[in-house]
Amino acid sequence: MNRALCIADRVDEIVHSTHVRRHFPELDVVFACGDLPYSYVEYAMSALDVPVFYVRGNHDKVLEEGPGGPITGPAGARDLHRRVRRHAGLLLAGVEGSVRYKPGPFQYSQRQMWRHVFALVPQLLWNRARRGRALDVFVTHAPPRSIHDRDDLPHHGIDAFRWLLRRFRPALHVHGHVHVWGPNTVTDTRFAATRVLNAYGHRVVELQTPATRDGRTEVEPCA
């Protein structure tokens, strides 16, 4: 069983707290889904003393001023963009950014997003052949098309992500980008074999390994 804290888009006082370990006991990993100060992600990693895997969001900076000078990402955290990694029995992959809606870093056309996703495919196929499943957790900033996204261009979901979910059947797709303004906002959706979760602020999930009989990893939300 792996217990994961997922964070995105907002500096959360519960996470950025001297009592963070009391709020989130027995964590195994943090997934940071973008639009977060690099220093905040570093604090979570240091205070919780667990590995952090992250992607950048469309509001993240190429350079952020840190205590020792400019930094390009949270020191010590592991960038998942266009990468496939393994951690504590979990197979992880990620894609940064959002759909392009104005000049700026970490924004991409739908075609570019397809390229990012296709860059993951060789390793995902290797995972499937070697381990019997391709992917357990997909970490992105933007949501898939028509799941948790919105009609305005900046918050369009990504077509390629829907394809990846159908083709490789991860147990969990955790994303950010879409802010949650009220209790009626849908943030937890089942799509084919995958639980799609908007991590705005923070969410905690428990991920059970090894894979189940049908090739998926069971993912259940914490109470």
Side-chain angles (χ1 to χ4, degrees):
M1 182 75 70
N2 288 271
R3 197 163 188 257
L5 172 65
C6 308
I7 54 177
D9 295 286
R10 178 170 64 88
V11 173
D12 196 316
E13 293 180 359
I14 296 177
V15 177
H16 202 260
S17 162
T18 56
H19 303 296
V20 62
R21 283 198 178 189
R22 187 184 307 167
H23 294 307
F24 305 107
E26 300 180 359
L27 282 179
D28 300 291
V29 65
V30 173
F31 299 126
C33 300
D35 281 2
L36 297 167
Y38 299 149
S39 58
Y40 174 71
V41 178
E42 290 177 357
Y43 177 84
M45 179 171 55
S46 175
L48 293 166
D49 193 26
V50 296
V52 172
F53 296 87
Y54 75 98
V55 295
R56 295 176 178 85
N58 57 294
H59 291 300
D60 284 325
K61 299 176 181 178
V62 175
L63 292 175
E64 179 180 301
E65 193 62 35
I71 55 175
T72 59
R78 303 171 195 181
D79 188 356
L80 278 178
H81 178 55
R82 292 172 59 119
R83 294 175 173 89
V84 179
R85 298 182 183 270
R86 190 165 182 253
H87 171 71
L90 296 174
L91 306 176
L92 315 175
V95 173
E96 70 186 13
S98 73
V99 70
R100 180 171 296 282
Y101 61 93
K102 67 177 183 179
F106 313 125
Q107 298 178 45
Y108 304 98
S109 68
Q110 293 282 359
R111 179 175 293 185
Q112 288 173 313
M113 285 294 194
W114 277 105
R115 291 173 184 163
H116 293 331
V117 167
F118 286 158
L120 302 171
V121 168
Q123 186 63 49
L124 296 179
L125 291 174
W126 188 91
N127 281 347
R128 179 176 287 169
R130 178 69 176 82
R131 297 190 170 95
R133 67 192 196 281
L135 180 63
D136 297 322
V137 183
F138 186 42
V139 180
T140 68
H141 180 63
R145 172 77 83 173
S146 301
I147 303 174
H148 305 164
D149 62 352
R150 293 179 179 160
D151 293 335
D152 60 309
L153 178 59
H155 295 99
H156 279 188
I158 307 304
D159 296 323
F161 295 172
R162 286 181 69 95
W163 176 84
L164 182 144
L165 298 185
R166 286 195 180 278
R167 181 70 175 79
F168 294 106
R169 299 168 61 86
L172 177 68
H173 177 189
V174 59
H175 69 86
H177 191 51
V178 181
H179 290 207
V180 178
W181 300 116
N184 294 326
T185 303
V186 177
T187 60
D188 194 342
T189 300
R190 174 68 63 176
F191 176 74
T194 302
R195 180 185 295 275
V196 182
L197 187 66
N198 184 346
Y200 176 77
H202 79 271
R203 301 290 295 268
V204 178
V205 292
E206 289 184 355
L207 304 103
Q208 183 177 342
T209 53
T212 58
R213 188 177 305 171
D214 66 356
R216 292 187 291 114
T217 303
E218 290 295 329
V219 177
E220 296 296 340
C222 288

Short mmCIF file of all heavy atoms in Angstrom, two decimals, residues 171-206:
data_model
loop_
_atom_site.label_atom_id
_atom_site.label_comp_id
_atom_site.label_asym_id
_atom_site.label_seq_id
_atom_site.Cartn_x
_atom_site.Cartn_y
_atom_site.Cartn_z
N ALA A 171 -4.18 3.21 -13.31
CA ALA A 171 -5.18 3.20 -12.25
C ALA A 171 -5.61 4.60 -11.86
O ALA A 171 -6.77 4.85 -11.55
CB ALA A 171 -4.63 2.48 -11.03
N LEU A 172 -4.65 5.55 -11.89
CA LEU A 172 -4.91 6.91 -11.44
C LEU A 172 -4.31 7.91 -12.40
O LEU A 172 -3.15 7.78 -12.81
CB LEU A 172 -4.30 7.11 -10.04
CG LEU A 172 -4.43 8.52 -9.43
CD1 LEU A 172 -5.89 8.84 -9.10
CD2 LEU A 172 -3.56 8.64 -8.18
N HIS A 173 -5.11 8.91 -12.76
CA HIS A 173 -4.60 10.10 -13.46
C HIS A 173 -4.87 11.29 -12.56
O HIS A 173 -6.03 11.66 -12.34
CB HIS A 173 -5.29 10.27 -14.82
CG HIS A 173 -4.85 11.52 -15.54
ND1 HIS A 173 -5.49 11.95 -16.68
CD2 HIS A 173 -3.87 12.41 -15.29
CE1 HIS A 173 -4.91 13.06 -17.11
NE2 HIS A 173 -3.92 13.36 -16.28
N VAL A 174 -3.80 11.89 -12.05
CA VAL A 174 -3.95 13.03 -11.15
C VAL A 174 -3.48 14.28 -11.89
O VAL A 174 -2.43 14.28 -12.54
CB VAL A 174 -3.19 12.81 -9.83
CG1 VAL A 174 -1.71 12.56 -10.04
CG2 VAL A 174 -3.40 13.96 -8.88
N HIS A 175 -4.28 15.35 -11.82
CA HIS A 175 -3.97 16.58 -12.55
C HIS A 175 -4.33 17.78 -11.68
O HIS A 175 -4.89 17.66 -10.59
CB HIS A 175 -4.76 16.63 -13.87
CG HIS A 175 -6.24 16.81 -13.67
ND1 HIS A 175 -6.83 18.06 -13.53
CD2 HIS A 175 -7.27 15.92 -13.58
CE1 HIS A 175 -8.13 17.93 -13.36
NE2 HIS A 175 -8.43 16.63 -13.39
N GLY A 176 -4.04 18.97 -12.19
CA GLY A 176 -4.44 20.22 -11.57
C GLY A 176 -5.09 21.12 -12.59
O GLY A 176 -5.97 20.71 -13.32
N HIS A 177 -4.66 22.39 -12.63
CA HIS A 177 -5.02 23.38 -13.65
C HIS A 177 -6.41 23.98 -13.51
O HIS A 177 -6.60 25.17 -13.68
CB HIS A 177 -4.84 22.78 -15.05
CG HIS A 177 -4.94 23.78 -16.16
ND1 HIS A 177 -4.21 24.94 -16.17
CD2 HIS A 177 -5.69 23.79 -17.30
CE1 HIS A 177 -4.49 25.63 -17.27
NE2 HIS A 177 -5.38 24.96 -17.96
N VAL A 178 -7.42 23.16 -13.21
CA VAL A 178 -8.79 23.64 -13.10
C VAL A 178 -9.08 23.91 -11.63
O VAL A 178 -9.15 22.99 -10.82
CB VAL A 178 -9.78 22.61 -13.68
CG1 VAL A 178 -11.21 23.15 -13.56
CG2 VAL A 178 -9.45 22.31 -15.14
N HIS A 179 -9.28 25.18 -11.30
CA HIS A 179 -9.50 25.55 -9.91
C HIS A 179 -10.89 25.12 -9.44
O HIS A 179 -11.85 25.09 -10.22
CB HIS A 179 -9.34 27.05 -9.72
CG HIS A 179 -7.91 27.50 -9.85
ND1 HIS A 179 -7.42 28.62 -9.23
CD2 HIS A 179 -6.86 26.96 -10.53
CE1 HIS A 179 -6.14 28.77 -9.52
NE2 HIS A 179 -5.78 27.77 -10.31
N VAL A 180 -10.97 24.77 -8.19
CA VAL A 180 -12.23 24.29 -7.59
C VAL A 180 -12.79 25.42 -6.74
O VAL A 180 -12.21 25.80 -5.72
CB VAL A 180 -11.98 23.03 -6.73
CG1 VAL A 180 -13.28 22.58 -6.07
CG2 VAL A 180 -11.39 21.92 -7.60
N TRP A 181 -13.94 25.96 -7.17
CA TRP A 181 -14.51 27.12 -6.49
C TRP A 181 -15.67 26.78 -5.56
O TRP A 181 -16.11 27.62 -4.79
CB TRP A 181 -14.98 28.14 -7.53
CG TRP A 181 -13.88 28.62 -8.41
CD1 TRP A 181 -13.77 28.43 -9.76
CD2 TRP A 181 -12.72 29.38 -8.03
NE1 TRP A 181 -12.62 29.00 -10.25
CE2 TRP A 181 -11.96 29.59 -9.20
CE3 TRP A 181 -12.25 29.88 -6.82
CZ2 TRP A 181 -10.76 30.30 -9.18
CZ3 TRP A 181 -11.06 30.58 -6.81
CH2 TRP A 181 -10.33 30.78 -7.98
N GLY A 182 -16.21 25.59 -5.63
CA GLY A 182 -17.34 25.26 -4.79
C GLY A 182 -17.49 23.76 -4.63
O GLY A 182 -16.86 22.96 -5.34
N PRO A 183 -18.34 23.32 -3.69
CA PRO A 183 -18.49 21.89 -3.39
C PRO A 183 -19.13 21.10 -4.53
O PRO A 183 -19.04 19.87 -4.52
CB PRO A 183 -19.37 21.88 -2.14
CG PRO A 183 -20.13 23.17 -2.20
CD PRO A 183 -19.19 24.16 -2.81
N ASN A 184 -19.77 21.78 -5.47
CA ASN A 184 -20.42 21.06 -6.55
C ASN A 184 -19.51 20.81 -7.75
O ASN A 184 -19.92 20.17 -8.72
CB ASN A 184 -21.66 21.84 -7.02
CG ASN A 184 -22.73 21.91 -5.94
OD1 ASN A 184 -22.90 20.97 -5.16
ND2 ASN A 184 -23.46 23.01 -5.89
N THR A 185 -18.29 21.30 -7.69
CA THR A 185 -17.34 21.05 -8.77
C THR A 185 -16.93 19.58 -8.78
O THR A 185 -16.52 19.03 -7.74
CB THR A 185 -16.09 21.92 -8.60
OG1 THR A 185 -16.48 23.30 -8.54
CG2 THR A 185 -15.13 21.72 -9.76
N VAL A 186 -17.03 18.95 -9.93
CA VAL A 186 -16.66 17.54 -10.06
C VAL A 186 -15.13 17.43 -10.11
O VAL A 186 -14.48 18.05 -10.96
CB VAL A 186 -17.27 16.91 -11.32
CG1 VAL A 186 -16.81 15.46 -11.48
CG2 VAL A 186 -18.79 16.98 -11.26
N THR A 187 -14.58 16.66 -9.21
CA THR A 187 -13.13 16.52 -9.12
C THR A 187 -12.66 15.07 -9.15
O THR A 187 -11.46 14.81 -9.15
CB THR A 187 -12.60 17.16 -7.82
OG1 THR A 187 -13.20 16.50 -6.69
CG2 THR A 187 -12.92 18.65 -7.77
N ASP A 188 -13.57 14.12 -9.19
CA ASP A 188 -13.22 12.70 -9.09
C ASP A 188 -14.11 11.93 -10.05
O ASP A 188 -15.32 11.84 -9.85
CB ASP A 188 -13.44 12.23 -7.65
CG ASP A 188 -12.79 10.89 -7.36
OD1 ASP A 188 -12.47 10.15 -8.30
OD2 ASP A 188 -12.64 10.56 -6.16
N THR A 189 -13.52 11.40 -11.11
CA THR A 189 -14.29 10.80 -12.20
C THR A 189 -13.66 9.49 -12.62
O THR A 189 -12.43 9.37 -12.70
CB THR A 189 -14.33 11.75 -13.41
OG1 THR A 189 -14.94 12.98 -13.02
CG2 THR A 189 -15.10 11.16 -14.57
N ARG A 190 -14.50 8.52 -12.90
CA ARG A 190 -14.03 7.26 -13.46
C ARG A 190 -14.13 7.33 -14.98
O ARG A 190 -15.18 7.62 -15.54
CB ARG A 190 -14.87 6.09 -12.94
CG ARG A 190 -14.56 4.75 -13.57
CD ARG A 190 -13.19 4.21 -13.20
NE ARG A 190 -13.05 3.96 -11.78
CZ ARG A 190 -11.96 3.43 -11.23
NH1 ARG A 190 -10.93 3.11 -11.98
NH2 ARG A 190 -11.89 3.24 -9.93
N PHE A 191 -13.01 7.09 -15.67
CA PHE A 191 -12.98 7.06 -17.13
C PHE A 191 -12.34 5.74 -17.55
O PHE A 191 -11.16 5.51 -17.30
CB PHE A 191 -12.18 8.23 -17.68
CG PHE A 191 -12.02 8.21 -19.18
CD1 PHE A 191 -13.09 8.51 -20.00
CD2 PHE A 191 -10.81 7.88 -19.75
CE1 PHE A 191 -12.96 8.49 -21.38
CE2 PHE A 191 -10.67 7.85 -21.13
CZ PHE A 191 -11.74 8.16 -21.95
N ALA A 192 -13.13 4.87 -18.16
CA ALA A 192 -12.66 3.53 -18.52
C ALA A 192 -12.09 2.87 -17.26
O ALA A 192 -12.79 2.75 -16.27
CB ALA A 192 -11.64 3.60 -19.65
N ALA A 193 -10.82 2.48 -17.27
CA ALA A 193 -10.23 1.80 -16.11
C ALA A 193 -9.57 2.75 -15.13
O ALA A 193 -8.99 2.31 -14.14
CB ALA A 193 -9.19 0.79 -16.61
N THR A 194 -9.67 4.06 -15.36
CA THR A 194 -8.85 5.03 -14.63
C THR A 194 -9.69 5.94 -13.76
O THR A 194 -10.74 6.44 -14.18
CB THR A 194 -8.05 5.89 -15.63
OG1 THR A 194 -7.23 5.04 -16.45
CG2 THR A 194 -7.15 6.88 -14.91
N ARG A 195 -9.22 6.18 -12.54
CA ARG A 195 -9.76 7.24 -11.70
C ARG A 195 -9.03 8.53 -12.05
O ARG A 195 -7.81 8.61 -11.93
CB ARG A 195 -9.56 6.91 -10.22
CG ARG A 195 -10.13 8.00 -9.27
CD ARG A 195 -9.80 7.69 -7.83
NE ARG A 195 -10.45 6.49 -7.40
CZ ARG A 195 -11.71 6.42 -6.92
NH1 ARG A 195 -12.43 7.52 -6.83
NH2 ARG A 195 -12.22 5.28 -6.55
N VAL A 196 -9.77 9.54 -12.48
CA VAL A 196 -9.21 10.85 -12.81
C VAL A 196 -9.51 11.79 -11.66
O VAL A 196 -10.68 12.00 -11.30
CB VAL A 196 -9.78 11.39 -14.13
CG1 VAL A 196 -9.14 12.73 -14.48
CG2 VAL A 196 -9.59 10.39 -15.27
N LEU A 197 -8.46 12.38 -11.08
CA LEU A 197 -8.60 13.15 -9.85
C LEU A 197 -7.98 14.53 -10.01
O LEU A 197 -6.81 14.67 -10.39
CB LEU A 197 -7.90 12.42 -8.71
CG LEU A 197 -8.06 12.98 -7.29
CD1 LEU A 197 -9.51 12.86 -6.82
CD2 LEU A 197 -7.13 12.26 -6.33
N ASN A 198 -8.77 15.56 -9.76
CA ASN A 198 -8.26 16.93 -9.73
C ASN A 198 -7.66 17.18 -8.34
O ASN A 198 -8.37 17.13 -7.34
CB ASN A 198 -9.39 17.92 -10.01
CG ASN A 198 -8.91 19.35 -10.09
OD1 ASN A 198 -7.81 19.68 -9.71
ND2 ASN A 198 -9.77 20.23 -10.60
N ALA A 199 -6.37 17.50 -8.30
CA ALA A 199 -5.65 17.62 -7.04
C ALA A 199 -5.60 19.06 -6.54
O ALA A 199 -4.78 19.37 -5.66
CB ALA A 199 -4.23 17.09 -7.19
N TYR A 200 -6.43 19.95 -7.05
CA TYR A 200 -6.39 21.36 -6.65
C TYR A 200 -6.33 21.48 -5.12
O TYR A 200 -7.13 20.88 -4.39
CB TYR A 200 -7.64 22.07 -7.16
CG TYR A 200 -7.74 23.51 -6.71
CD1 TYR A 200 -6.97 24.50 -7.32
CD2 TYR A 200 -8.59 23.88 -5.67
CE1 TYR A 200 -7.05 25.82 -6.90
CE2 TYR A 200 -8.68 25.20 -5.26
CZ TYR A 200 -7.91 26.17 -5.87
OH TYR A 200 -7.99 27.47 -5.46
N GLY A 201 -5.36 22.28 -4.65
CA GLY A 201 -5.14 22.34 -3.20
C GLY A 201 -4.37 21.12 -2.77
O GLY A 201 -3.15 21.04 -2.93
N HIS A 202 -5.07 20.14 -2.24
CA HIS A 202 -4.43 18.87 -1.91
C HIS A 202 -5.47 17.76 -1.87
O HIS A 202 -6.63 18.00 -1.54
CB HIS A 202 -3.67 18.92 -0.58
CG HIS A 202 -4.55 18.80 0.63
ND1 HIS A 202 -5.14 19.89 1.24
CD2 HIS A 202 -4.95 17.71 1.33
CE1 HIS A 202 -5.86 19.48 2.27
NE2 HIS A 202 -5.77 18.16 2.35
N ARG A 203 -5.05 16.58 -2.22
CA ARG A 203 -5.85 15.35 -2.09
C ARG A 203 -4.91 14.23 -1.64
O ARG A 203 -3.72 14.26 -1.93
CB ARG A 203 -6.50 14.95 -3.43
CG ARG A 203 -7.41 15.98 -4.04
CD ARG A 203 -8.70 16.16 -3.26
NE ARG A 203 -9.53 14.97 -3.28
CZ ARG A 203 -10.49 14.75 -4.20
NH1 ARG A 203 -10.70 15.64 -5.17
NH2 ARG A 203 -11.24 13.67 -4.15
N VAL A 204 -5.46 13.26 -0.94
CA VAL A 204 -4.69 12.09 -0.51
C VAL A 204 -5.33 10.84 -1.09
O VAL A 204 -6.56 10.70 -1.05
CB VAL A 204 -4.62 12.00 1.03
CG1 VAL A 204 -3.87 10.75 1.46
CG2 VAL A 204 -3.97 13.24 1.61
N VAL A 205 -4.51 9.96 -1.63
CA VAL A 205 -5.01 8.69 -2.16
C VAL A 205 -4.13 7.56 -1.65
O VAL A 205 -2.96 7.76 -1.32
CB VAL A 205 -5.04 8.66 -3.70
CG1 VAL A 205 -6.10 9.61 -4.25
CG2 VAL A 205 -3.68 8.98 -4.28
N GLU A 206 -4.71 6.38 -1.60
CA GLU A 206 -3.96 5.18 -1.28
C GLU A 206 -3.92 4.30 -2.52
O GLU A 206 -4.94 4.07 -3.17
CB GLU A 206 -4.61 4.43 -0.12
CG GLU A 206 -4.43 5.17 1.21
CD GLU A 206 -4.99 4.40 2.40
OE1 GLU A 206 -5.59 3.34 2.17
OE2 GLU A 206 -4.83 4.88 3.53
#
